[in-house]
Amino acid sequence: MTDLARTPQQIGNLVRRVRKKRDLSQTQLADQAGVRQETISLIETGNPAARLETILAVLAALDLEFRIVARRKAGPADIEEIF
Amino acid sequence: MTDLARTPQQIGNLVRRVRKKRDLSQTQLADQAGVRQETISLIETGNPAARLETILAVLAALDLEFRIVARRKAGPADIEEIF
DNA sequence: TAGCAATATCGGATTTGGCGCATAAACAAA
DNA sequence: TTTGTTTATGCGCCAAATCCGATATTGCTA
């Protein structure tokens, strides 16, 4: 699995998707990441001003991580990320 | 190029590395990203509380982007990131 | 070493995250 | 529909990012 993360929305969508796939509630994920349920809610709805460290903590709690790569043209497979 | 970005430090180091490779000053990068030189300085030194949108803007200005992937064991090639 | 460019800091102002505490609103299941 | 859960909001608070305008400091080069 490798997902494009160019906007807070894309990141939020992915977090929600993975969280649900893991059958976790926002509260459970929040506990694991050491933040509050409110914070997870904000992140999933695409909060652009979220703290970097918070995002990193949430990703780690989901066994995910960022990788930084050269920007590419968004292919067909990425289009659905918009929705 | 694909770099691990688990901590603000790793992200900051990468930003600085790429910026220099592109022969840009912090001020030039700041202009392109629509932020201030001070902000670039903070990010490069690993500011953990940087805003997500700011990081994204800086990466975009460097023609980079995040990708979210399943967490893996950090290999030998990643160790140097620590320094 | 001198001098200019580049980076790190500073004070004040504004804005917002995330916390604690709490609740409303939305969902899903019985 | 009714109940229990999950998610979205609200208010006050503190800390800190970022902005603006400058200035120490550091670093590189001549």
Side-chain angles (χ1 to χ4, degrees), chain B residues 1-32:
Chain B
M1 186 210 33
T2 163
D3 277 270
L4 200 51
R6 288 185 183 174
T7 68
Q9 280 76 26
Q10 289 178 339
I11 294 173
N13 288 340
L14 179 73
V15 166
R16 173 161 293 177
R17 206 168 74 220
V18 175
R19 174 178 62 77
K20 289 194 169 173
K21 192 173 299 177
R22 299 264 206 295
D23 263 301
L24 295 171
S25 67
Q26 290 186 345
T27 303
Q28 292 175 308
L29 176 57
D31 286 343
Q32 288 203 249

Side-chain angles (χ1 to χ4, degrees), chain A residues 3 6 50 52 65 67-68, chain B residues 3 6 50 52 65 67-68:
Chain A
D3 278 88
R6 288 185 182 174
L52 176 60
E65 67 188 5
R67 292 186 98 80
I68 297 179
Chain B
D3 277 270
R6 288 185 183 174
L52 176 59
E65 66 188 8
R67 293 186 95 82
I68 298 178

Side-chain angles (χ1 to χ4, degrees), chain B:
Chain B
M1 186 210 33
T2 163
D3 277 270
L4 200 51
R6 288 185 183 174
T7 68
Q9 280 76 26
Q10 289 178 339
I11 294 173
N13 288 340
L14 179 73
V15 166
R16 173 161 293 177
R17 206 168 74 220
V18 175
R19 174 178 62 77
K20 289 194 169 173
K21 192 173 299 177
R22 299 264 206 295
D23 263 301
L24 295 171
S25 67
Q26 290 186 345
T27 303
Q28 292 175 308
L29 176 57
D31 286 343
Q32 288 203 249
V35 298
R36 319 190 69 243
Q37 174 261 320
E38 171 199 25
T39 302
I40 300 294
S41 175
L42 285 173
I43 288 173
E44 290 189 355
T45 49
N47 174 13
R51 285 178 169 220
L52 176 59
E53 63 180 353
T54 303
I55 298 292
L56 292 171
V58 171
L59 290 183
L62 287 173
D63 286 304
L64 299 177
E65 66 188 8
F66 275 139
R67 293 186 95 82
I68 298 178
V69 305
R71 208 172 172 83
R72 328 173 179 194
K73 246 186 297 211
D78 302 315
I79 300 297
E80 50 187 300
E81 279 289 349
I82 297 173
F83 308 112

Side-chain angles (χ1 to χ4, degrees), chain A:
Chain A
M1 186 210 33
T2 164
D3 278 88
L4 199 53
R6 288 185 182 174
T7 67
Q9 280 76 26
Q10 290 178 339
I11 295 172
N13 288 340
L14 179 73
V15 166
R16 174 161 294 176
R17 206 169 74 221
V18 175
R19 175 178 61 78
K20 288 193 169 174
K21 193 174 298 178
R22 300 266 206 293
D23 262 300
L24 295 172
S25 67
Q26 290 186 344
T27 302
Q28 292 175 308
L29 175 55
D31 286 343
Q32 287 203 249
V35 299
R36 308 180 52 241
Q37 174 261 319
E38 171 200 26
T39 301
I40 301 294
S41 174
L42 285 173
I43 288 174
E44 290 188 355
T45 49
N47 176 13
R51 285 180 171 213
L52 176 60
E53 64 181 352
T54 303
I55 298 292
L56 292 170
V58 171
L59 290 183
L62 287 173
D63 285 304
L64 299 177
E65 67 188 5
F66 275 138
R67 292 186 98 80
I68 297 179
V69 304
R71 207 172 173 84
R72 327 171 181 196
K73 245 186 296 217
D78 301 318
I79 299 294
E80 50 187 301
E81 278 289 347
I82 297 173
F83 309 111

